[in-house]
Amino acid sequence: MPTAKKYPLYKYILAAIDFSTVAVSHVLAFIFAELWLNEHLPSRHGLLIGEVAYVIGVAATCVFIFYSLGLYQINVFVTVVAHLERIIKGLVVLLAGIAAFSIFTAAEYIIDSWQLILSFAITEIVLFAVIRVVLFRQVYLSLSRNRVLQRNVLI
C-alpha cells in the first residue's frame, strides 16, 4: 500500500495561518475601500458570492506561491531576513496576479478600486510581519527549545 508523504504539523499550521491571513486582510481591504469610497459606514452587511469566491481563490493562490518560494521550510521561517524577503517576493507576485486578473475580468469590486489593492497590500504586509515573522517564529523557537517539537537530524 503506497504511503503519502507526511509533512510536519507546522507546515499545515503555517498554510492555515497564511490562508486565513490573506482572507482577513482581503475582507479588511473590502471594508477600507468601501469606507474610503462612500465616506460612511458600509451600507451592506457581508460579502457577495463573487467576492467570497475571489477571496478564497486569492488565499489559495497565496499558499501555492508561498509553497513555491519555500516559505514552509524551517531554515527560512527561523531566519527573519530570508523570511521577510520571500514574503515580500510572494506578495509582489500575488499583487501582480491580482492586477492581471482585474484587467481580464469585469469584476467591479476589483477594477473600480485601486484603494482595494493598496489597502490589501498594506494590511497583508503588516499581518504577515506580525503573525508569521514575530509570533509564529517565537512560538516555534520556544517550543523547540523546550523540546516539545523535535526535529530529526540525519548525520
Side-chain angles (χ1 to χ4, degrees), residues 72-125:
Y72 299 118
Q73 299 172 356
I74 291 177
N75 62 340
V76 173
F77 74 78
V78 172
T79 59
V80 175
V81 175
H83 199 177
L84 279 174
E85 175 188 355
R86 291 185 187 191
I87 285 174
I88 291 172
K89 281 181 186 178
L91 292 179
V92 167
V93 170
L94 185 67
L95 290 174
I98 291 172
F101 182 74
S102 69
I103 290 171
F104 294 119
T105 62
E108 68 275 356
Y109 47 85
I110 303 168
I111 295 173
D112 291 343
S113 177
W114 59 269
Q115 290 97 353
L116 176 74
I117 295 175
L118 180 65
S119 59
F120 170 70
I122 292 170
T123 56
E124 192 69 24
I125 290 172

Side-chain angles (χ1 to χ4, degrees), residues 29-92:
F30 280 129
I31 292 171
F32 292 152
E34 190 164 335
L35 285 172
W36 181 273
L37 294 175
N38 294 338
E39 299 178 355
H40 58 78
L41 290 176
S43 58
R44 60 187 169 108
H45 303 286
L47 299 174
L48 301 173
I49 297 296
E51 292 172 340
V52 172
Y54 169 74
V55 168
I56 290 172
V58 168
T61 304
C62 182
V63 170
F64 176 74
I65 290 171
F66 280 8
Y67 178 78
S68 298
L69 289 174
L71 275 164
Y72 299 118
Q73 299 172 356
I74 291 177
N75 62 340
V76 173
F77 74 78
V78 172
T79 59
V80 175
V81 175
H83 199 177
L84 279 174
E85 175 188 355
R86 291 185 187 191
I87 285 174
I88 291 172
K89 281 181 186 178
L91 292 179
V92 167

